[in-house]
């Protein structure tokens, strides 16, 4: 009988050398849920193409089945953002910096562009301390309409000067689709803030450009919604998207947001896009920032975004979460060391952890 499903909706990448009986078991399990499976033999592994009802197949959490290394979704869902071994390690270039190519990128600067001399001073401090890109908002999306909204076009000129003086690429937030051209004159990377993650007109507009986009997770968004927001930009033709976990609201939390570090491996499993972590907005208090920045490096993020201000108590926005330049300078080698430990040799690190924990079973 001919299949009613024309195209496969999932491709399962099986673990290299997976034994025949285990492959058969996976096929049978999929078959039990209506999946029609075709095995494709690669050089060192098998791939299973699966046809069937996408909603049913996606609800099976196949990615957690034993013997399955990765699942590539080919349905309508994540057509562009899905994990793809072919583009997995390419990364997104922002000037001379490449995010997600295996390096650890540090984006730092004040929440907002304030007066010129202060901005240049902070930029020069973060640059000499090891930041790869400078970030500061010209247009600020504030909760209160009466709070400081950013210096707008004046700030764009200051950012231009900052790039000239430090050589650092500029990351700055875009709020309004009508400002895309203007902000693109200085932005090496647009930031889409948490509040605008669902602003689909803005996402589609940014998709028409080739300027890299740092897309922050909405503070009440699921991972699926986050990935779909990325899909809006990617599907319009801009493939330069970087995701950023920045903390989410939790019913049980006493703090405003809780940094969801578990999203990092999940996003890395489901998408090929680089994933950064913002421990500044994710903790809202400077005393927590270094610890969570180190944790972001340990969890395997592709980089971090850190707010830095030379006089946090005078900052016009987000002062309480800003590190001083000295605190930032201390943090940079720590995150690089943690990252290098992960890179060194995964098995050596695992052996080390097992031997220091006594190797007991739990
Ligand atoms: C910011 O980066 O300054 C900012 C406002 O972040 P978020 O959109 O994550 O709140
Ligand atoms: Mn901020």
């Amino acid at each position: 009988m001919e299949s009613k499903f024309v195209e496969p909706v999932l491709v399962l990448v099986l673990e290299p050398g997976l034994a025949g009986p285990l492959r058969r078991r996976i096929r049978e399990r999929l078959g039990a849920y209506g999946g029609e499976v075709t095995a494709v033999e690669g050089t060192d592994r098998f791939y299973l193409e699966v046809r069937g009802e996408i909603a049913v197949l996606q609800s099976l959490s196949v990615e957690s089945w034993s013997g399955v290394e990765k699942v590539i979704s080919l349905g309508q869902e994540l057509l562009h953002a899905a994990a793809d071994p072919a583009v997995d390690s390419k990364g997104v270039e922002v000037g001379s910096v490449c995010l997600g190519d295996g390096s650890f990128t540090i984006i730092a600067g004040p929440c907002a562009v304030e007066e010129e001399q202060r901005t240049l001073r902070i930029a020069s401090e973060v640059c000499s301390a090891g930041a790869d890109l400078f970030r500061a908002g010209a247009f600020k999306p504030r909760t209160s309409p009466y709070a400081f909204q950013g210096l707008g076009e004046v700030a764009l000129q200051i950012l231009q000067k900052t790039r000239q003086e430090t050589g650092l690429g500029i990351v700055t937030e875009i709020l309004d689709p009508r400002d895309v051209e203007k902000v693109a004159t200085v932005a090496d990377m647009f930031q889409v803030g948490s509040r605008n993650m669902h602003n689909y007109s803005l996402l589609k507009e940014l998709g028409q450009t080739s300027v890299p986009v740092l897309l922050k997770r909405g503070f009440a968004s699921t991972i699926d919604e986050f990935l779909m927001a990325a899909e809006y930009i990617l599907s319009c033709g801009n493939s330069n998207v970087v995701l950023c976990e920045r903390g989410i609201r939790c019913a049980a939390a006493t703090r405003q947001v809780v940094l969801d570090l578990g999203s990092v491996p999940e996003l890395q499993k489901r998408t090929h896009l680089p994933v950064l972590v913002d421990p500044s907005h994710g903790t809202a208090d400077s005393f927590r920032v270094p610890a969570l920045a180190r944790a972001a490096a340990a969890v395997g993020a592709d980089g971090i975004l850190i707010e830095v201000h030379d006089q946090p108590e005078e900052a016009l926005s987000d002062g309480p979460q800003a590190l001083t330049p000295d605190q930032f300078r201390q943090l940079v080698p720590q995150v690089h060391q943690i990252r290098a430990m992960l890179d060194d040799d995964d098995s050596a690190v695992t052996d080390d952890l097992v031997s220091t924990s006594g190797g007991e079973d739990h």
Side-chain angles (χ1 to χ4, degrees):
M1 200 176 69
E2 208 165 286
S3 170
K4 65 174 172 146
F5 304 108
V6 183
E7 298 291 343
V9 289
L10 296 179
V11 173
L12 275 57
V13 181
L14 301 186
E15 286 170 358
L18 190 70
L22 293 175
R23 293 202 304 268
R24 229 176 356 263
R25 197 169 132 61
I26 293 172
R27 296 185 65 156
E28 283 164 7
R29 276 182 85 182
L30 288 164
Y33 290 97
E36 297 169 7
V37 184
T38 311
V40 179
E41 189 169 357
T43 43
D44 66 338
R45 69 184 71 218
F46 278 87
Y47 299 83
L48 301 181
E49 284 183 358
V50 191
R51 290 172 173 72
E53 294 295 345
I54 187 159
V56 176
L57 294 170
Q58 286 192 330
S59 70
L60 300 178
S61 302
V62 185
E63 59 282 355
S64 63
W65 291 8
S66 140
V68 176
E69 186 175 278
K70 198 175 249 189
V71 177
I72 301 170
S73 173
L74 303 176
Q76 284 308 307
E77 304 299 282
L78 294 176
L79 223 44
H80 297 83
D84 178 350
V87 286
D88 254 359
S89 55
K90 255 181 42 196
V92 170
E93 282 178 13
V94 181
S96 58
V97 175
C98 189
L99 293 93
D101 65 348
S103 54
F104 190 79
T105 304
I106 302 181
I107 305 179
C111 180
V113 177
E114 299 180 11
E115 47 98 15
E116 184 173 306
Q117 285 315 310
R118 164 159 277 159
T119 307
L120 293 172
R121 201 161 57 235
I122 299 173
S124 136
E125 291 270 15
V126 297
C127 181
S128 70
D132 300 294
L133 296 166
F134 182 70
R135 58 137 281 151
F139 299 95
K140 295 303 302 175
R142 305 304 300 283
T143 303
S144 162
Y146 309 115
F148 174 61
Q149 304 284 309
L151 297 179
E153 296 192 21
V154 173
L156 294 179
Q157 287 161 18
I158 297 174
L159 287 173
Q160 188 76 272
K161 194 157 179 193
T162 308
R163 192 211 280 106
Q164 281 158 8
E165 294 213 352
T166 61
L168 289 176
I170 302 293
V171 182
T172 196
E173 184 157 357
I174 174 93
L175 298 184
D176 189 325
R178 292 166 298 188
D179 288 340
V180 168
E181 222 171 291
K182 187 165 63 189
V183 177
T185 59
V186 294
D188 296 283
M189 182 177 220
F190 289 124
Q191 174 175 315
V192 173
S194 192
R195 290 156 188 79
N196 267 317
M197 191 208 86
H198 290 286
N199 183 344
Y200 301 121
S201 327
L202 177 64
L203 301 180
K204 284 195 265 187
E205 197 67 33
L206 298 177
Q208 313 283 330
T209 76
S210 57
V211 181
V213 178
L214 178 68
L215 177 66
K216 299 184 89 175
R217 179 178 179 185
F219 50 69
S221 301
T222 63
I223 299 286
D224 285 338
E225 290 164 343
F226 190 17
L227 287 171
M228 282 303 167
E231 195 69 22
Y232 264 94
I233 304 170
L234 296 163
S235 62
C236 290
N238 186 348
S239 58
N240 301 312
V241 177
V242 173
L243 304 173
C244 181
E245 164 61 46
R246 52 79 70 208
I248 48 171
R249 291 240 165 110
C250 287
T254 49
R255 298 190 297 282
Q256 252 199 343
V257 289
V258 171
L259 190 62
D260 180 14
L261 288 177
S263 70
V264 176
E266 180 171 351
L267 289 166
Q268 288 173 334
K269 188 165 184 170
R270 293 183 56 188
T271 170
H272 65 273
L273 305 173
V275 183
L276 302 192
V277 170
D278 170 359
S280 301
H281 295 86
T283 67
D285 271 311
S286 60
F287 79 90
R288 274 189 280 260
V289 171
L292 273 291
R294 292 190 291 266
V299 85
D302 297 295
I304 47 175
L305 187 153
I306 302 280
E307 287 194 342
V308 178
H309 198 284
D310 60 346
Q311 297 274 303
E313 60 290 351
E314 286 181 12
L316 298 179
S317 58
D318 285 348
Q321 70 196 31
L323 295 189
T324 62
D326 281 349
Q327 291 169 326
F328 176 69
R329 194 174 292 277
Q330 265 191 345
L331 177 65
V332 171
Q334 295 175 354
V335 289
H336 281 306
Q337 268 166 31
I338 292 169
R339 177 51 188 246
M341 192 172 114
L342 293 188
D343 290 344
D344 260 358
D345 176 353
D346 282 350
S347 57
V349 171
T350 316
D351 289 350
D352 228 32
L353 293 176
V354 170
S355 66
T356 51
S357 73
E360 71 269 45
D361 286 339
H362 295 284

